[in-house]
Amino acid sequence: MKVSKSTIGFIMAWILVNAGFFTCLSSNHDKTKTEIILAPEIVNEFESLPTPNLTGISKDSVTLRARLLKPERVEKRKAYPLIVSLHGAGERGNDNRQQLKFLPQQMAKSPCRETFPCFVLAPQCPRGMNWSSTVIQADTPAGEDKMLLDQIHKLILDICSKYPIDQQRIYVTGYSMGGFGTWSMIARYPELFAAAVPICGGGNPETVSRFSKMAIWIAHGDADQTIPVASSRRMVKALQQVGSSPVYVELRGVTHDSWTPTYSEQSGMMEWLFKQRRSPGSSH
């Protein structure tokens, strides 16, 4: 079977991403993002979550930090949406703060706090890793590889068991490295999410049949020189070929920071997102 040059190019790009490409990307990524200062009082709005001890593929100890924002007022007999927010390469570490800078911080302030009451899960990817990196937990069966995304999946299930989460309204979004993570997350757990918003990322077109019925809003700047817009266009085309109709917003003249306009009230994305609901018992 003859393989086209474009296919080979995509496969090589995908391998680079999952082999730690974002370790090299982070410095360039930081130069292209809108400077946002994390307000100290915002951090106090988020509860620090207990997380398991993990081992990286190099056998080093790995710390996965995470925080949770709760609705300002939790009413009895009411369930709330959950947003899972996956940050970019520049917010990696173990301070359990930097991952709150963009969407999480926005959701903790007015008017979002009042307009869109919800839970927000904000994990922090360890330094030197990406969301698809392999990690091992103490109870992982021998020979079974686990991604960092699987640990986040466990966090989601734990939160759903402890808090009034509307399990038909679980959403995932991320930008840059988190955009790649969002595509990987819905490919891995398509039955969990009602909607996804991958921003300036990319995924594997061969996985789109798994989530073809999911509501997806894709955004990318057409002047992005960090992650080329072709990576989102490729996913849009693949979804359309399997009968899906994702919302695709290509931001003219925008470079890598396409998350600021996407998360803004003016984009309409947030209003769209909170209307999405997964049918009980459905599997995308």
Side-chain angles (χ1 to χ4, degrees), residues 251-264:
L251 299 159
R252 187 173 183 180
V254 172
T255 55
H256 192 46
D257 181 7
S258 47
W259 54 91
T260 297
T262 302
Y263 290 146
S264 72

Side-chain angles (χ1 to χ4, degrees), residues 82 84 121 149 152-157 160 165-172 185-186 188-195 210 214 277-278 282-284:
L82 169 65
V84 181
L121 172 61
L149 290 175
I152 295 168
H153 177 247
K154 289 182 179 180
L155 281 175
I156 295 170
L157 297 183
C160 289
I165 305 295
D166 184 345
Q167 297 188 37
Q168 275 66 59
R169 298 177 71 196
I170 299 177
Y171 312 128
V172 59
M185 192 68 166
I186 61 176
R188 206 159 177 83
Y189 298 104
E191 74 288 345
L192 183 62
F193 300 99
R210 302 176 193 174
M214 187 183 299
R277 180 179 294 274
R278 183 177 63 85
S282 70
S283 175
H284 299 294

